Amino acid sequence: MKQKMKDLGDFPGIAENLPCCFYITQTKEPFGLLYANEEMLRLFDCRDFDELYRHVDGDAFHVIAMDDRARVKQEIVHELAERNDRFDHARGHLFTRTSRIRYADVSGRIVETQAHGKVCYCTLQEIDIPLPGVTVDRDIRDYVISHLDEAIENHWIQVYYQPIIRTLTGELCGMEALARWVDPQIGFLAPASFIPVLEQVRLIHQLDAYVLEEVCHMLRQRLNHDLPITPISFNLSRYDFDMVDVFHLVEKTRAAYQIPRDALYVEITESALAENDDAIHRAIDRLRDEGYEIWLDDFGSGYSSLNILKDYTVDLIKLDMGFLRNFTEKSRSIISSVIAMAKDLGIKTLAEGVETQEHAEFLASIGCGRQQGYYYGKPQPLVGTLAHIEAEGREIEPRKWCHYYDVASMAIRETNQTSALFDLHEDGYLHYLYTNQVYREQLHALGYRCRDVEGFLNRKARPEISATFRHYVNRSLQSGSPESFCYIDGGDYIRIRLRVICEMNHHLLIHMGFENISRSDAGEQLVKLDDNLRYLYTMFENISLVDFQRDTIEPIYVHDAPTRETVHGIRRYLQSFAQEYVYEPDRQGYLDFCNPDTAAARIQKSRYSRIAHCCRVRDPHGNYHWRECVAVLLQNGLTERSGHTSLMLTAEKTIEEQILLPASRTPEQCTLDALLWQSLTHHTRFYYFWKDKNRRFLGATKAFLKFYGFDSEADILGKTDEDMNWHLDNNTYRLDEIALLQTGKIVENVKGTCIIRGVLRHITCYKWPLYREGEIIGLLGVFFEAEDLYSKINQSLVSPYDDPVTGLHNRQGFLGDLIGYQEAYAVDQQPYALILLESCFDEQIQKTYGPSFLRTHAGKDAVISRLRHTTFAILRRETSSEDRTASKAIARDLQQRLQSIHQIDGNPVTITFRYSFVHATDPAIHKTANGNVSYIYRLALERLSHNG
């Protein structure tokens, strides 16, 4: 129903032709609009009072825009109470019916009327809109609002790209997408001329959606032409979350162009997150859960930076350019602290506003991961930005290296100790990625430069240093822990400490530091110790220093010890050494001798202030030799804190065979036959197994367990072949074994097909009865794999049935498998299910998750094949009606598990997935083609295409 305006005669003292905007409102909720003059209607682009009433929803406070409404309402209520029912100059934005934006000054007073009780007379005066840093002409504002759709349709709004540079390498590792309005009528519009306006009238979501669409379109074009891409960050306004479902918008646009999620970074300003809105929080979490990186823009520009890091999970913070604009000692300290804090939280860092070489070098020194600013390039259309990058000789960082360099950046910290990062290539070449100033100064003090060290480590000048360094790199790679060693250089003792912090793409990332301990207090003590111990070097083969307080064992002189680096964790190392090197009968005696809890006390109580022990230790050739170990204390007395002496010295040497008294000789626990059997089961390459009289497994050789992918005998003990469900036809082997156990008939050269790690393999089996006192108590068997024999005979030939990338069967092998399954169904009514899986795997995902992932989750009784680049087939034999439901569940589970993968080796990935399902009992098979294998395969492909 049309809303009518109250008669002006109801309100005393008001002239009809006031020259300003005037309106009357109720003073209580809902603050209904009662009257508005012609000026008011004209300002709001309304033809009559009804249009104005509907525009403000009948609420006079809705005259003011939502952003300012609460503040203006609070100011008016406060002034009415303080100033005897009057208020003046309350200012805020307002929106006209046609979405033009205005800024107004409102004043008013409360009047008592006979017809309507207390009402408020309000005057409204339009004034210029205040914008931070720039004044936007009112006509420009109106033009932007009224021509936005046209500008988007005609591409007057263009996407410019500003390069983002990897600090460590200088390569292009991303670009930020920025909107620029190039209008045919009014020329170039700066972002400050249209972005604030669009935010105020709640149209900014149209601009942001358009920019995202343009970015995805550009990336798809480059992918279609096999051109390299780099991730693009795009901006979202806080108002986008009010107007649209942000997650749906981003995901729908990305999926339409089939862009991987790791090619898009979502930038949200600090001010947007400062509101801690639940809707924004949910959208951000969902975007991140689905594999999008969330970047926090303008970090440090507001008042709630730390609260945001507490309340939200973000992947990267962009330091506000204001920190670099005022580049003082204080701002340097703040930047350093922020970057250190971000690394402690596992958050990557980017500094924008980089304009000088001084900025760039400072940010590199403190480990800021990425940089952006005019020093590296201004925002330009894509062609211009890429041309600029090429002109500067910069490469585009390949996708697979993103995580590697992120890890490297995280490892760089401000420190007063030496610090360097090395990159070790697959071919053995090693080079610096980073060195700090302390490292370079200490290196210079030794008379070297970085390129000299690279030469030593790459075997150009000092191969012994290269070999030693690489030995400890391998140790760190295996142990996952820091390793250290000492060497002498020009009379100086140099201690190297290193750690492998990332292994990726056949490269190793190594963090390293060194210390000239000859010039430290500890070094001086070591020199004095060295003078007193030199005579021991000719008597013993290995000498170590045991520090009970630091819980370390440090080699001082090493001839043939298994480790040459300082060991952290005395007890853990002794247990590991005893397990790996000490002869088993001597093992407990060795551990008792080395016990750090009692060693010092035993030495102090001994007659000669030393203890000794002999045991057999394995050499690199696998032989055991007697060795003697002697331990002495280097300091008398006990420390207050630990109760142990500080240092103990141990020395080892090889001796002649130890003569033991008969009472102390350890008896052999095993007969020769038992030893031979134990050695055979552990070391033979043949697939032996043995069963009881009920055909249940009693054991198998390690080769057998490894062949089937089992960790231990426990996986098969007490089970039959039928329980394992690994033969395509169980009857043949079952009947042969029953005959063998009943009659003693030896089974020879019986061929069969079994499922090995998701692949059908052809085997030949031999079995013999086991007798005890003339009675059959079980059987012993062995099998040979036909493909294994084939490949050994024809090592230069590739199997026509196998996929060379994954090791699974290829399409031809799959069709052969399918024929076998269909024949088993036709003859023995053995049902099966066929599942086809198709995904947007790239080669990296396919190699990483393809075979192993499908084998794990499809089950050991399933046969898996790779039909083409991204299509896999699973054949699964079923033994009950419930298995059909299980097969469908497996397909759905695989789909969900694969689509939930968002990272491989730390690099973000995007996987889309579909599947189809055909069962042997499917009516469509028998109605149309009577079980024809080609039709079954085509039916699965057809269903797969419909599921896309």
Side-chain angles (χ1 to χ4, degrees), residues 238 268-276 296-298 301 308:
R238 67 179 183 273
I268 304 177
T269 60
E270 182 182 88
S271 59
L273 299 188
E275 298 179 3
N276 200 21
L296 180 57
D297 196 9
D298 296 335
S301 62
I308 290 171

Side-chain angles (χ1 to χ4, degrees), residues 152-163:
I152 290 175
E153 182 179 351
N154 295 322
H155 292 275
W156 298 345
I157 299 176
Q158 300 177 15
V159 178
Y160 279 32
Y161 297 91
Q162 186 172 28

